[in-house]
Amino acid sequence: NAGVTQTPKFRVLKTGQSMTLLCAQDMNHEYMYWYRQDPGMGLRLIHYSVGEGTTAKGEVPDGYNVSRLKKQNFLLGLESAAPSQTSVYFCASRGLARFNEQFFGPGTRLTVL
Amino acid sequence: GENVEQHPSTLSVQEGDSAVIKCTYSDSASNYFPWYKQELGKRPQLIIDIRSNVGEKKDQRIAVTLNKTAKHFSLHITETQPEDSAVYFCAVNQAGTALIFGKGTTLSVSS
């Protein structure tokens, strides 16, 4: 099993450009999450999904959109990138039971110039 | 929403010493409290967790204690080793669906 994978690993954008980050999991997990990690700020929840076709806002959703068309995939979109969105983005997933471990992907380092 | 405070932000210890990291949370309905370790350039990984019906849990050199009344929980690492150097995050489940993380503690263990 690959676990949680993220594409791409690195990306540099110019202000105003758009892009989509892809997260995939092969563990048949119901829950999927997008976090951003900035120095001194910890891991902040952007959006999450409790199942195929559903999404919800997290702590810092502004400037991002998400979609969960297939159970195994969770996409994070930036419609018009801003320098404030320069960050490391982590995807995570977990199974349905409340106390299941949350598994993280390897991260995507995004720089917006 | 849930608010998680983590202290200290940095912690330096000598090899063999103990390290303690503390987190407080705001939502009394929270019932799951994991700790994650993140090595430089790597993804966060779960090292230990505790549920609200338990006051303490140990796994070799690491332990977690929970005080639900005071709404705080702590990570204890004994006999620290250089390979314990990393960033540690506490987390709290929000409404049973998502983990909200503290800002992290950078632990440095010098030999």
Side-chain angles (χ1 to χ4, degrees), chain B residues 48-59:
Chain B
I48 195 168
D49 57 14
I50 192 168
R51 304 180 188 184
S52 59
N53 58 347
V54 176
E56 182 176 0
K57 183 178 178 180
K58 294 182 77 171
D59 183 3

Side-chain angles (χ1 to χ4, degrees), chain A residues 79-90:
Chain A
E79 289 186 350
S80 180
S84 60
Q85 294 178 304
T86 293
S87 188
V88 179
Y89 291 86
F90 284 100

Side-chain angles (χ1 to χ4, degrees), chain B residues 11-12 15 18 27 31 39 41 46 65-66 70 74 85 97-98 106-107:
Chain B
L11 181 59
S12 296
E15 182 177 1
S18 295
D27 187 353
N31 57 7
E39 297 176 348
L46 178 71
T65 57
L66 171 65
S74 299
S85 295
T97 54
T106 301
L107 173 65

